[in-house]
Amino acid sequence: MVPQLEAARTDPEPVSAQAERLLYYALVGALEAGLVRTAEDALTVLRQASQPLGPMGAEWLKRQERDL
């Protein structure tokens, strides 16, 4: 992204176009950060779900197994 922001142009870029380009890169960066955070949160949930459920969870599983 930095090379695109620093790219030297031969023709002068209007201020509005430059502002639009900078806003676009800021929005893309924010979306990428949000996607990374969402993926990290999903991995955390999956890790926690794969761990033992504790005494209450173990008892519930035993009751379910017994009922089947």
Side-chain angles (χ1 to χ4, degrees):
M1 184 162 75
V2 173
Q4 292 174 347
L5 288 173
E6 295 176 347
R9 294 179 173 253
T10 56
D11 57 332
E13 182 179 26
V15 175
S16 62
Q18 183 181 14
E20 183 179 335
R21 183 172 47 88
L22 293 174
L23 179 61
Y24 170 78
Y25 286 118
L27 289 173
V28 169
L31 285 171
E32 288 175 353
L35 290 173
V36 168
R37 175 62 190 247
T38 301
E40 289 171 346
D41 289 347
L43 287 174
T44 300
V45 168
L46 289 173
R47 283 188 195 110
Q48 290 175 353
S50 67
Q51 293 181 2
L53 301 173
M56 290 178 60
E59 179 60 35
W60 182 83
L61 287 174
K62 286 180 187 176
R63 277 187 281 146
Q64 299 305 313
E65 186 178 328
R66 197 174 43 228
D67 291 344
L68 288 175

